[in-house]
Amino acid sequence: MDQTVKQSAPMEVDPWTDRVGGLLERFPGLMIRAGDWETRMLCDRLAEIAIDRPVYVAGLARSGSTILLELLARHPEAVTHRYRDFPLLPIPWGWNWFVDRAGQVERQAKERAHRDRIVVTPESPEAFEEVLWSAFFPGLHDEEKSAVLDRTTAHPRFEAFYRDHIRKLLALRGGRRYVSKGNYNVTRIAYLKKILPDARFVVPIRDPIWHIASLVKQHRLFLTAGAGDERVRRHMRRSGHFEFGPDRCAINTACDGAPARAALHWRNGEEIAGWAAQWADVYGHVADLMQDPETAQAIKIVRYEDFCADPGPIFAEVLQHCGLEPAGLIERAGRMVSPPTYYEPSFTLAERDTIRDLTADVASRFAYG
């Protein structure tokens, strides 16, 4: 594989991906039925596949989730979604068969659209699970409704499809452990543990000042990209990425029917307050989950600052939590991980006070003083 790294370019979506992605968006029910048909065709093969301790990396965007996924995906037992799996995610076996025979795919690594030093190819791991969740749970990104799925949630149709989908990936890529990155799964930890009791969760978190600075930077970047090319906006929506850009949606963790706090701030033009409320709501939800000892045992919190300062030992703890052998990845983490040098927080004193006021209580629960 050619690993020559190209400089990042403006985010682009090729016309073929845009057209095929439109099928997924317009006919989600048809795509799910196609996935069922694929499952029936593979039933004998899938019957031999066991789902063993799936690993979920789930936290607010820009918390270090991608580098954790990159490292975990390098484990010889790990299987993940890849860039090549989109757009026809519900039929991974058939779609990958087609992609393998459709001609040469560019293998040259290039910095991803986030411009954050992470380089990717079509074979790189990526977060696409949201395509499946959105097909079965309409309204998950409605800011007026709670996005929390917990132990009381039941959707047998989804649960069967989802388990079969994981088995397909394990069979397709010849691995034993499914590894998923999905920011929105942070509100589904209790439900995922209900349907996959031995699941492991890795939740990255970051100091609110720096975290929000990164979120603001990314939002501006994707606003510009979406305004310049409607295909970018459609791709973000179809792939289930609503964290940034023109179609940004707040994550609603309220259980009392209230709209998302972040959305209320953003509607009032209070950009920084909105991000601070989003940080506090998401990680407050995680902190509350961890009051249950059984759930807390399944969750490993990774503080971004600790990870950057001493990546080898921190990643060793992650591997131990997930039940994965080191496989040379502790040393690799030491080479790959370092603090960001491509931006600095530029908040005013008033903005910093706003962030502290809205996040202090939750931050203290994760030892941020």
Side-chain angles (χ1 to χ4, degrees), residues 158-169:
F158 165 76
E159 293 158 20
F161 189 95
Y162 183 65
R163 291 189 189 98
D164 286 334
H165 183 81
I166 293 175
R167 290 188 182 98
K168 288 179 194 178
L169 288 181

Side-chain angles (χ1 to χ4, degrees), residues 29 40 64 66 274 334:
R40 290 192 293 272
T66 298

Side-chain angles (χ1 to χ4, degrees), residues 83-129:
Y83 278 87
R84 65 164 18 225
D85 293 329
F86 187 82
L88 297 190
L89 202 81
I91 49 171
W93 197 277
W95 176 245
N96 275 267
W97 182 93
F98 172 78
V99 169
D100 286 341
R101 291 158 178 78
Q104 286 292 328
V105 177
E106 183 184 1
R107 301 287 182 177
Q108 193 174 42
K110 60 182 179 180
E111 187 180 29
R112 65 180 187 153
H114 301 68
R115 300 180 187 174
D116 56 3
R117 305 182 302 183
I118 295 176
V119 296
V120 297
T121 75
E123 304 303 324
S124 296
E126 177 55 327
F128 283 130
E129 253 199 32

